[in-house]
Amino acid sequence: MSWIAPSPEARREQFGRFLIGTGNIGGIAASTGPGIGLSDDEGFNLIDRALTEGAKIIDTADIYAGGNSERVVGAWRHAHPNADALIQTKTGITVDGPNLAPERVRHQLQHSIDVLGRVDLYLAHAVDPQTSWSDSLPVFSAAVEGGHIRAYGLSNVDEAGLSSALETADRLGLARPELVQNAYSLIVRDDDRSVLPLVEAEGLAYTPYSPLANGILAGRYSKGEEVAKGTRARNSPRAPGLLANPAVMSQVRKFDRLAAERKVSPAGLALAWVIHHPLLTAPIIGISNGSHWRGVHEALQIDWTAELGERINEIFPAN
């Protein structure tokens, strides 16, 4: 039986308006080192506030900060045994490349359960070209059927990979992947004509990460500002190319002017566009300091109209 709610509106209620990302606790994604990411105490405070602000799901991964993200989330959960928050984690990205070998997935899931206390939603963090879906998906399906997780999904997957996974699950009589987690923002809209139509047709949840394109849509680099050490843009493989693209940065500056016209921050307007996108369930939001909550508040409170959406789409047209 599917865990995911049957309608887009019910799924948004199920997932909340946003998921809180914890990949910046102890590092940023797979990067660690002095001055990178939040401390343990800052991570605890981030989770506490996120739930107060309305988050329902805490997102992490076994590779984030060398395992420190999962460790802190697990410690937080141990200190809050009655919290309603769902725990979502991922496996499959390693220092040697994608790895969804069945034995490794089984081992990593049990490890994550041990560290986190439980895992509600479990995602394949990447597509592994060396392991077929017919080998890896039975492990995820068995975890659902055995009651170890509520549902599973796929991250960093293209249309062909998602279609193949769904076909494989149906052909083998397995529990289907129910969630998709890809990079998606006004700047990065690769899924517009590929993954999103399939997500809609199959009734899947779609929880985009990097909705601010590593801070580019937060107005931080519109005037050519240098990317500082320890920021998401510094640790992103995609951000340097976007920042060096004159056409993209021209769009960003037009967007900044529209945000100023509407008397909101660029971050608030960019998040509002994602939150009100009819095919998206809820974005994963990473918060590095208290001031970043301003954009979240603006996004949730903005007077959204079709006309505003059209003006934004004129600046950043679909791919």
Side-chain angles (χ1 to χ4, degrees), residues 232-243:
R232 294 180 185 276
R234 174 66 71 88
N235 291 278
S236 164
R238 192 192 298 257
L242 295 173
L243 290 168

Side-chain angles (χ1 to χ4, degrees), residues 120 152 173 214 278 291 307:
D120 297 297
Y152 76 96
N214 302 119
S291 66
E307 182 268 338

Side-chain angles (χ1 to χ4, degrees), residues 184-193 196 217 247-248 250-252 254-255 258 273 277 308-319:
Y184 189 82
S185 67
L186 281 165
I187 297 176
V188 179
R189 299 181 63 171
D190 302 340
D191 287 350
D192 276 333
R193 302 189 188 281
L196 282 175
L217 287 167
V248 169
S250 175
Q251 291 174 306
V252 170
K254 290 179 182 177
F255 181 74
L258 175 60
W273 179 82
H277 193 301
L308 178 55
E310 289 171 2
R311 289 192 64 185
I312 294 173
N313 281 317
E314 287 174 1
I315 298 172
F316 295 103
N319 294 331

Side-chain angles (χ1 to χ4, degrees), residues 146-192:
H148 304 294
I149 61 176
R150 300 187 187 207
Y152 76 96
L154 310 176
S155 182
N156 298 305
V157 64
D158 62 14
E159 180 185 14
L162 177 58
S163 179
S164 176
L166 292 169
E167 185 278 329
T168 299
D170 291 344
R171 175 168 48 83
L172 298 180
L174 306 173
R176 305 179 102 210
E178 300 185 62
L179 323 168
V180 173
Q181 184 185 119
N182 283 355
Y184 189 82
S185 67
L186 281 165
I187 297 176
V188 179
R189 299 181 63 171
D190 302 340
D191 287 350
D192 276 333

Side-chain angles (χ1 to χ4, degrees), residues 57-281:
I57 298 175
I58 303 169
D59 177 82
T60 183
D62 57 16
I63 196 171
Y64 288 164
N68 196 53
S69 175
E70 280 197 340
R71 180 185 63 78
V72 172
V73 173
W76 177 90
R77 186 187 169 279
H78 180 75
H80 302 78
N82 297 320
D84 292 333
L86 299 180
I87 308 297
Q88 173 174 284
T89 192
K90 305 177 283 290
T91 195
I93 292 180
T94 77
V95 295
D96 298 317
N99 188 340
L100 292 176
E103 284 305 315
R104 185 181 184 281
V105 174
R106 290 189 190 94
H107 176 271
Q108 290 302 114
L109 174 57
Q110 187 57 57
H111 175 75
S112 291
I113 291 173
D114 292 341
V115 172
L116 293 163
R118 74 165 195 267
V119 171
D120 297 297
L121 309 174
Y122 199 48
L123 277 71
H125 206 168
V127 175
D128 177 5
Q130 305 303 318
T131 304
S132 69
W133 290 129
S134 60
D135 289 329
S136 61
L137 291 191
V139 181
F140 290 93
S141 177
V144 173
E145 293 165 353
H148 304 294
I149 61 176
R150 300 187 187 207
Y152 76 96
L154 310 176
S155 182
N156 298 305
V157 64
D158 62 14
E159 180 185 14
L162 177 58
S163 179
S164 176
L166 292 169
E167 185 278 329
T168 299
D170 291 344
R171 175 168 48 83
L172 298 180
L174 306 173
R176 305 179 102 210
E178 300 185 62
L179 323 168
V180 173
Q181 184 185 119
N182 283 355
Y184 189 82
S185 67
L186 281 165
I187 297 176
V188 179
R189 299 181 63 171
D190 302 340
D191 287 350
D192 276 333
R193 302 189 188 281
S194 55
V195 172
L196 282 175
L198 183 57
V199 163
E200 181 182 27
E202 297 291 342
L204 309 179
Y206 186 101
T207 56
Y209 68 88
S210 294
L212 298 182
N214 302 119
I216 297 173
L217 287 167
R220 296 175 195 161
Y221 309 110
S222 300
K223 299 178 181 178
E225 294 89 341
E226 183 177 350
V227 178
K229 179 182 177 182
T231 60
R232 294 180 185 276
R234 174 66 71 88
N235 291 278
S236 164
R238 192 192 298 257
L242 295 173
L243 290 168
N245 187 322
V248 169
M249 296 313 296
S250 175
Q251 291 174 306
V252 170
R253 286 187 286 273
K254 290 179 182 177
F255 181 74
D256 289 350
R257 290 194 290 271
L258 175 60
E261 175 189 320
R262 294 288 172 149
K263 295 181 171 54
V264 298
S265 68
L269 189 56
L271 286 175
W273 179 82
V274 172
I275 288 171
H276 289 87
H277 193 301
L279 300 185
L280 309 185
T281 303

Side-chain angles (χ1 to χ4, degrees), residues 15-20 47 49-58 85 293:
F15 280 75
R17 302 297 297 278
F18 67 94
L19 290 69
I20 188 65
I47 298 171
R49 179 157 183 182
L51 298 187
T52 300
E53 298 282 356
K56 295 183 178 181
I57 298 175
I58 303 169
W293 286 108

